[in-house]
Amino acid sequence: MCEECKELVDPKEEQLEQILAHHKREKGALIPVLQEAQGLYGYLPEHVIKHISRGLGIPSAKVYGVVTFYAQFRLTPMGRNVISVCLGTACHVRGGAKVLEAIEKDTKIKDGQTTEDGRFTLEIVNCIGACGLAPVMSINGNVHGRLNADQIPGILAEYK
């Protein structure tokens, strides 16, 4: 490949080719390939799904079906700050829904959405593993516990 052409090729595409080559002969390679591709891109854009489909010889409809079946895969980019709100039993009983409402009001997004400015992505989870601090949320892995709705604007302001 000429030097000018190399500059036009996205380095991620080359890495995706390496991922495909590494897993190509493995039985059940689709999920590991999707996981690594999402790690590379941050989500699974349409062109990546098509590339994986061609690379593994699997119909793109089947690849898309796997992507949409498993909650771990994303078809849209994540925000710079990922808010995970726990609605497990302990958090639910102690007011997790009110915390979620306050987050939705402040960010103007719902579960699975990202703010227009790309600042926040909101996701509802079943457990964060901090039941003793319920209700809890984590932002980029930083756990905030014993929450009430009034605290939310101040906490989110720290991430703006």
Side-chain angles (χ1 to χ4, degrees), residues 15-110:
Q15 290 176 282
L16 182 56
E17 277 299 323
Q18 291 172 357
I19 291 167
L20 286 165
H22 180 259
H23 292 284
K24 192 167 188 130
R25 305 233 186 311
E26 295 175 12
K27 187 173 183 164
L30 180 56
I31 290 177
V33 167
L34 289 170
Q35 289 169 328
E36 289 184 41
Q38 182 166 281
L40 180 62
Y41 286 88
Y43 71 111
L44 295 167
E46 184 178 347
H47 78 278
V48 170
I49 291 174
K50 288 179 180 177
H51 194 127
I52 291 169
S53 168
R54 284 189 305 272
L56 295 178
I58 298 172
S60 58
K62 183 171 183 176
V63 176
Y64 184 77
V66 169
V67 168
T68 56
F69 179 80
Y70 291 102
Q72 67 179 299
F73 297 121
R74 300 192 60 82
L75 292 168
T76 56
M78 300 274 286
R80 290 186 301 281
N81 301 291
V82 178
I83 306 168
S84 300
V85 182
C86 179
L87 290 184
T89 304
C91 289
H92 176 73
V93 169
R94 293 184 179 160
K98 290 187 188 315
V99 169
L100 175 62
E101 273 181 37
I103 294 166
E104 290 174 341
K105 181 180 176 187
D106 192 280
T107 61
K108 297 177 180 49
I109 57 173
K110 301 275 186 193

Side-chain angles (χ1 to χ4, degrees), residues 114-130:
T114 300
T115 56
E116 286 185 21
D117 63 3
R119 189 159 297 182
F120 294 108
T121 293
L122 177 60
E123 62 182 14
I124 295 172
V125 298
N126 291 325
C127 189
I128 289 179

